[in-house]
Amino acid sequence: MDSLGALECSLESLLISYQYDASTESLVLVLDHPDRGAGADRAFLRLRFMGVSAFRREPGTFADLQRFTESYSARETQATTVVQGIDIEQRGGSVSIALSFGSFGELTFVCRSCSAESRRARATQTRANTWTYQDSDDGKPMDFYNPFA
């Protein structure tokens, strides 16, 4: 999978989580991706950025979301956050990335490499506003908020 190509196609994707680790110079971003594929109700995309430097979280206007800096999980808030802008710029051996999330704010960083993986899921509504998820390939249960566990 072309990881930067997958990122470029992620407009309007729901942000599930991100985790920046300065000690390992890494950032992991998980999205509910719009490219679901046949037989799936959801598709999750995990992007791993390595050699991350100049990481910055620019807080947005929504006060409840300003507390998230180096990590975020949709499980910890009622607000939904979607990718509203993507700017990718190649700079020699590195890539500069800016991701805009509307009232959530922005993430900007530089990385040396990126990898991506996806996981497709089927969803079943079990009661009002409650869903269960199973992997489309093997039928194993999945946690929506941690689909790559």
Side-chain angles (χ1 to χ4, degrees):
M1 170 182 290
D2 172 21
S3 52
L4 289 179
L7 177 60
E8 287 177 329
C9 295
S10 295
L11 278 176
E12 298 303 318
S13 293
L14 178 68
L15 176 63
I16 303 290
S17 66
Y18 72 80
Q19 178 68 49
Y20 170 64
D21 186 339
S23 66
T24 61
E25 298 180 334
S26 65
L27 171 66
V28 176
L29 181 73
V30 177
L31 302 169
D32 179 7
H33 203 260
D35 185 12
R36 289 167 175 66
D41 299 310
R42 296 271 189 181
F44 299 97
L45 176 68
R46 177 167 58 184
L47 296 150
R48 291 181 185 271
F49 302 95
M50 301 305 295
V52 173
S53 60
F55 176 85
R56 195 164 130 197
R57 158 80 159 94
E58 193 66 42
T61 57
F62 190 35
D64 183 52
L65 298 176
Q66 292 177 354
R67 61 189 161 108
F68 298 103
T69 54
E70 294 183 347
S71 66
Y72 166 83
S73 172
R75 188 186 313 267
E76 298 176 30
T77 179
Q78 295 293 321
T80 56
T81 301
V82 298
V83 179
Q84 294 185 12
I86 302 167
D87 185 25
I88 301 171
E89 183 181 325
Q90 299 280 345
R91 292 184 182 175
S94 63
V95 180
S96 176
I97 298 174
L99 301 172
S100 300
F101 301 97
S103 62
F104 179 83
E106 270 190 357
L107 294 179
T108 59
F109 56 95
V110 175
C111 69
R112 287 194 306 269
S113 66
C114 178
S115 64
E117 63 183 305
S118 63
R119 190 169 186 200
R120 298 175 323 124
R122 286 188 300 273
T124 305
Q125 187 170 12
T126 56
R127 58 182 189 266
N129 299 318
T130 304
W131 297 81
T132 60
Y133 297 88
Q134 297 81 34
D135 186 283
S136 288
D137 296 323
D138 62 19
K140 291 184 179 175
M142 296 171 60
D143 178 357
F144 176 87
Y145 297 103
N146 193 8
F148 294 92

